[in-house]
Amino acid sequence: MEARLELKLSQKLIMTPQLQQAIKLLQLSRLELSQSISQELMENPVLEELPADAAEEGAPGSDAEGAQEAAASAETLAEQQGEMGSEEPAADFKSVLESGPQWDEYLNEMGDGRDFGSAEADDRELPSYDQTLTRRASLSDHLLWQLRLSASDPGVVNAGEWIIGNIDDDGYLRSPLEEMEQQASLPHKDLERALELIQNFDPAGVGARDLRECLLIQTRQLDLGGTLVEKIIDQHLTDLEKRKYEAIAKALSVTPQDVMEAAQIIIHELDPKPGRPYAESDTHYVVPDVYVVKVEERYVIQLNEEGMPRVRVNPYYRKLLSHKDDIDKAAREYIEERLRSAQWLIKGMEQRNKTIYKVAESIVKFQYDFLEHGISHLRPMVLKDVAEDISMHESTISRVTTNKHMHTPQGIFSMKFFFTTGFSDGAGSEISSLTIKDAIQRMIKEEDPATPLKDQQIVDALKARGIEIARRTVAKYREELRIPPTSVRKRSG
């Protein structure tokens, strides 16, 4: 055992702050990037946003002439601020008022304000109150309004508020009464009374704990109690879902035609999700990062920079750094640090745009047939294909395509959409899994409702087109497309 010094030479990959920032910018969406730039503009005084007219002409602030103009503007601004401290502007403003329009005449034309609500003031028909609401009532608001009109017992009202708070957007009560009884320390009888009251509210079926109870509540409110409709829901709901009409008819000693007529009432008159009309539908707008436009026989790529802040280094601070002796050391070091941060941001944004352009260009090259003919010609592609094409790492391609969208002649798609697995078509080429899903969806859409296609029949039909695919894969794709099995799709004549 001895202590000694040794020298070792090794290579390590170190993530510099510049590289970390470039990677972070690369995977940001448009909204996140805009917010990041706005945050940097607030925190970094060296950065400034280009005016709209200057952004169109370019970035003049990088040359000496731009610096002189910025410095002159700063001096002019300082002079104007000094002048605003004097009393002359106030005097000028007073003189403008004195030489302006006759305010008494203007006020006389407006009236004395006492008859603004009268018919003489405005004979136009004003919109009603409900037309001026900024937000429609939610399911919870609608139920609480009915509860306070229907119940006078404070215990029932309190229990009803707890129950309504546990009703989901579909109108179902997902929490057991016993659980609410423990959480809120409420009497069980108050919860039961409140639930019975709520289950009679509008919309019909609200407050049910499962589908069977939901449909039974609706049959009672539609005066269908004791009918075949109620019996089918109460005793044979599972058989109804599988459309086993003959089995239901045999069990209830009725004809299959009677069962089919009752089933039509259940399907068309009853709502399995009564809360849906009150659900708030959020509209999500997608702003594409890349536009793909066809010009003659080729596709041209354009980056969408609309609404994105254009930034540059403030020429005034450049001029300050050119006269280092005129400022103290602390101020100079601060400006230099902020200047480096601004330059890293600008270079990171430029690198981000170049990388997105290269990736989009490669996608367009691989998916030319899709752009021409649609999803039936989508080519299978993985990240490695694009990475090798533009000489970049797969992780970089993954970051670039995250939260990015492309506007094409076929519609707006996420850039991740173009990366799919494929199957051989027997002719040496591959077909995308999305193309196969589209083919399955078309087959089922065109099938005879009386004899719907089985998964094996779909496999045979695809095989006839030269596409080898397993039956379990067809079943998997059908479930992903939310297409029910054959027994549920079957319709009798």
Side-chain angles (χ1 to χ4, degrees):
M1 299 289 292
E2 61 177 343
R4 58 181 178 180
L5 295 175
E6 290 185 357
L7 294 177
K8 289 185 179 180
L9 184 63
S10 62
Q11 290 183 340
K12 292 183 180 180
L13 180 61
I14 299 177
M15 296 283 287
T16 61
Q18 300 93 315
L19 183 58
Q20 292 177 8
Q21 186 181 40
I23 292 175
K24 179 182 176 182
L25 292 176
L26 199 59
Q27 58 192 5
L28 294 180
S29 62
R30 280 180 53 84
L31 179 60
E32 292 170 339
L33 179 62
S34 178
Q35 292 174 345
S36 179
I37 295 173
S38 299
Q39 183 69 22
E40 188 69 19
L41 282 169
M42 289 190 294
E43 295 177 354
N44 193 343
V46 176
L47 270 180
E48 67 174 2
E49 184 175 358
L50 277 171
D53 52 353
E56 295 176 359
E57 297 174 1
S62 59
D63 56 3
E65 183 179 356
Q68 293 176 359
E69 292 177 358
S73 300
E75 293 173 0
T76 304
L77 180 61
E79 293 175 0
Q80 292 176 351
Q81 291 174 346
E83 292 175 356
M84 288 178 67
S86 63
E87 298 180 356
E88 293 181 0
D92 293 340
F93 182 70
K94 182 178 179 181
S95 61
V96 169
L97 287 179
E98 291 176 352
S99 61
Q102 299 298 324
W103 295 104
D104 52 350
E105 296 179 2
Y106 176 75
L107 293 175
N108 289 333
E109 292 177 2
M110 292 296 295
D112 59 1
R114 290 177 296 180
D115 56 348
F116 280 176
S118 63
E120 293 81 9
D122 192 354
D123 57 357
R124 293 175 299 175
E125 183 179 354
L126 297 177
S128 60
Y129 173 73
D130 57 350
Q131 291 178 323
T132 62
L133 292 176
T134 58
R135 183 180 68 89
R136 65 177 183 176
S138 64
L139 177 62
S140 178
D141 296 335
H142 186 55
L143 295 176
L144 288 172
W145 172 71
Q146 295 177 82
L147 175 67
R148 285 156 189 160
L149 289 177
S150 306
S152 58
D153 187 348
V156 175
V157 173
N158 190 21
E161 290 175 350
W162 268 88
I163 292 174
I164 292 173
N166 286 276
I167 293 178
D168 63 10
D169 292 338
D170 293 332
Y172 287 87
L173 177 62
R174 300 301 184 185
S175 299
L177 294 182
E178 294 76 12
E179 182 179 326
M180 285 185 281
E181 181 181 358
Q182 295 177 359
Q183 291 179 349
S185 300
L186 294 171
H188 191 77
K189 62 177 183 180
D190 286 347
L191 289 168
E192 288 182 340
R193 290 170 58 193
L195 179 59
E196 183 181 358
L197 185 65
I198 291 171
Q199 287 182 347
N200 288 289
F201 286 171
D202 176 73
V206 71
R209 284 157 286 193
D210 54 34
L211 177 61
R212 176 178 165 276
E213 186 179 19
C214 176
L215 298 179
L216 287 175
I217 292 172
Q218 295 180 59
T219 57
R220 290 196 296 267
Q221 294 192 14
L222 293 174
D223 294 329
L224 295 174
T227 63
L228 181 60
V229 172
E230 185 182 46
K231 292 179 181 179
I232 292 174
I233 295 172
D234 188 28
Q235 304 172 21
H236 300 280
L237 188 59
T238 304
D239 291 334
L240 179 65
E241 292 175 356
K242 298 179 180 179
R243 303 189 184 277
K244 294 182 178 180
Y245 297 145
E246 294 182 358
I248 298 173
K250 184 177 180 180
L252 297 177
S253 301
V254 295
T255 65
Q257 183 64 30
D258 293 336
V259 174
M260 290 175 58
E261 291 177 358
Q264 292 301 314
I265 295 176
I266 295 172
I267 294 172
H268 297 292
E269 300 296 332
L270 307 183
D271 190 351
K273 296 182 179 180
R276 284 186 300 182
Y278 294 89
E280 296 182 0
S281 56
D282 296 332
T283 304
H284 300 280
Y285 297 95
V286 175
V287 180
D289 300 84
V290 180
Y291 287 97
V292 179
V293 183
K294 189 172 185 181
V295 179
E296 296 181 352
E297 297 299 323
R298 66 189 186 93
Y299 287 97
V300 178
I301 298 168
Q302 298 176 349
L303 296 180
N304 182 14
E305 298 183 354
E306 184 178 357
M308 193 65 63
R310 299 287 299 275
V311 297
R312 68 175 178 183
V313 175
N314 193 315
Y316 177 72
Y317 290 97
R318 286 180 178 269
K319 183 179 179 181
L320 285 181
L321 288 179
S322 63
H323 300 82
K324 296 182 180 180
D325 298 335
D326 297 340
I327 56 178
D328 59 75
K329 182 180 178 181
R332 183 175 68 251
E333 291 178 351
Y334 174 77
I335 295 174
E336 289 176 348
E337 178 190 355
R338 296 288 84 194
L339 180 62
R340 284 193 296 269
S341 177
Q343 290 173 339
W344 294 344
L345 176 64
I346 294 173
K347 289 181 180 178
M349 292 172 57
E350 292 176 354
Q351 186 63 36
R352 177 183 185 272
N353 290 340
K354 290 179 182 178
T355 307
I356 292 176
Y357 185 90
K358 287 182 179 180
V359 172
E361 189 177 35
S362 180
I363 291 175
V364 168
K365 182 173 69 174
F366 282 111
Q367 302 294 352
Y368 182 86
D369 291 338
F370 165 78
L371 298 175
E372 287 286 316
H373 307 290
I375 196 171
S376 60
H377 289 73
L378 185 66
R379 174 180 173 180
M381 186 172 65
V382 294
L383 296 174
K384 185 178 180 181
D385 296 331
V386 176
E388 292 178 350
D389 182 49
I390 62 177
S391 301
M392 289 186 178
H393 197 271
E394 292 181 38
S395 61
T396 304
I397 309 302
S398 178
R399 291 188 180 96
V400 170
T401 54
T402 300
N403 299 322
K404 310 292 189 307
H405 291 81
M406 181 182 292
H407 184 282
T408 71
Q410 301 296 334
I412 299 178
F413 299 93
S414 168
M415 295 182 77
K416 292 284 189 184
F417 167 83
F418 298 100
F419 298 92
T420 60
T421 56
F423 295 85
S424 175
D425 62 354
S429 58
E430 290 189 341
I431 296 179
S432 169
S433 58
L434 292 178
T435 302
I436 297 176
K437 288 182 182 179
D438 182 66
I440 293 173
Q441 200 167 22
R442 290 176 182 273
M443 288 183 192
I444 294 177
K445 187 177 181 180
E446 296 171 358
E447 69 183 3
D448 184 2
T451 56
L453 294 173
K454 298 180 180 179
D455 291 345
Q456 186 59 47
Q457 292 175 315
I458 296 175
V459 171
D460 297 338
L462 292 173
K463 188 176 181 180
R465 301 183 186 183
I467 303 173
E468 297 285 345
I469 187 172
R471 187 187 63 82
R472 62 179 178 272
T473 307
V474 171
K476 174 187 173 184
Y477 287 170
R478 179 175 51 74
E479 291 174 359
E480 291 177 357
L481 294 169
R482 297 183 179 180
I483 298 175
T486 306
S487 59
V488 178
R489 301 200 312 270
K490 187 175 181 179
R491 301 282 193 278
S492 300

